[in-house]
Amino acid sequence: MDTSARPRPRRRRLPKPKPRGYGRGSISIQDGAYVATYKSLETGRGARRSFASEQEAHVFLDQWYAEKQRRKLWTERGGMHAGWMIPAPVQAPALVPSPVRRRPPAPARVTFGELIDGWRAFKLGTVRATTWRNYEPSLRALAYYLGDRRADELTETHFIKYRQAREKGLDWVAKTQIPPLKPITINQHLDRANAIFEWATASSPPLAAENPVARLVKRGNKLKAEEFEPV
């Protein structure tokens, strides 16, 4: 049968995205998707990311802009120690004034969800599409269960409880029973959390004081994967 005359399916025409303010990134339509264009906070170079909907693109750029403003504020008030200076006590003119003591800058007060988004943006362009398809389920799950918590308040216990809940098939957010995950999949989730905290603690300025997942991903502390013998 000759199918050469069949018309090609037309690509759905997407509505024109709403414009964004100056410095807040932009959204365009390319290849049937909404593409967010912005400057990487790590390299300062232009970066792009595709989304299925305009709303997702706006949410991503809003989070990116919030992190951009937070880092700017950090630089102005904390990064240069201007906000951490303790005034020297008043001395008589004949005395030598005491040296000004400075507190070390504390880690930023960000949520774990913001760390996940920051790490995703940092890795954008360096990870293959097939690898992202493997990463995304774990990133979405971590954001769903722990994303609203302050990063500096998360402890190893939080991730142990996360591991136990996913192994038993418990959704403590919706308070429902869900299909449990295999140990090897749960280990992959914690590997992603470990990579995120390693990036956050090594950032300048640091976005997290410590890595609460470091011990759980070491050999001997992971969940044991099921072994099947051939029949």
Side-chain angles (χ1 to χ4, degrees):
M1 182 182 294
D2 185 13
T3 60
S4 60
R6 288 184 179 179
R8 295 182 179 180
R10 293 184 178 181
R11 180 175 293 170
R12 182 172 61 95
R13 188 170 184 177
L14 299 177
K16 185 178 179 180
K18 296 180 181 179
R20 295 180 59 83
Y22 177 77
R24 295 175 177 263
S26 62
I27 301 175
S28 59
I29 298 176
Q30 298 180 23
D31 298 328
Y34 289 95
V35 178
T37 303
Y38 58 99
K39 283 190 177 181
S40 170
L41 299 179
E42 306 300 329
T43 65
R45 298 178 180 176
R48 293 181 179 179
R49 185 175 177 187
S50 298
F51 296 89
S53 69
E54 179 184 355
Q55 183 180 7
E56 290 176 326
H58 279 294
V59 169
F60 172 79
L61 287 177
D62 288 343
Q63 293 173 339
W64 163 80
Y65 182 74
E67 173 64 12
K68 174 184 174 182
Q69 294 301 102
R70 186 197 65 77
R71 295 194 182 192
K72 179 181 178 182
L73 184 63
W74 178 278
T75 302
E76 293 175 350
R77 297 187 179 181
M80 300 303 294
H81 301 287
W84 302 101
M85 294 178 64
I86 301 176
V90 178
Q91 301 285 352
L95 299 178
V96 178
S98 301
V100 177
R101 294 179 298 166
R102 294 175 178 175
R103 298 176 186 173
R109 299 166 68 89
V110 297
T111 64
F112 185 44
E114 290 172 325
L115 287 189
I116 294 174
D117 290 336
W119 181 82
R120 184 189 279 112
F122 174 73
K123 299 293 288 185
L124 191 65
T126 64
V127 177
R128 296 180 179 178
T130 53
T131 305
W132 275 124
R133 285 197 289 269
N134 183 41
Y135 283 178
E136 283 298 339
S138 60
L139 297 179
R140 288 195 299 267
L142 290 168
Y144 175 72
Y145 287 102
L146 298 170
D148 61 340
R149 296 180 180 270
R150 282 261 306 276
D152 57 355
E153 293 178 350
L154 287 174
T155 65
E156 184 178 284
T157 302
H158 287 97
F159 289 94
I160 291 177
K161 290 182 177 180
Y162 173 84
R163 187 168 67 179
Q164 293 171 343
R166 300 315 306 270
E167 194 174 19
K168 295 178 181 178
L170 299 176
D171 183 339
W172 73 70
V173 177
K175 298 181 179 179
T176 58
Q177 192 78 29
I178 57 177
L181 296 181
K182 295 180 180 180
I184 189 172
T185 304
I186 300 174
N187 289 337
Q188 290 174 349
H189 286 205
L190 296 189
D191 285 339
R192 298 285 75 74
N194 178 64
I196 292 167
F197 273 105
E198 283 187 340
W199 164 78
T201 54
S203 296
S204 180
L207 300 176
E210 56 185 18
N211 181 357
V213 201
R215 195 184 70 88
L216 297 179
V217 297
K218 290 183 179 180
R219 182 176 298 180
N221 293 334
K222 291 187 175 184
L223 293 177
K224 293 184 178 180
E226 297 178 3
E227 296 182 359
F228 297 93
E229 296 183 0
V231 179

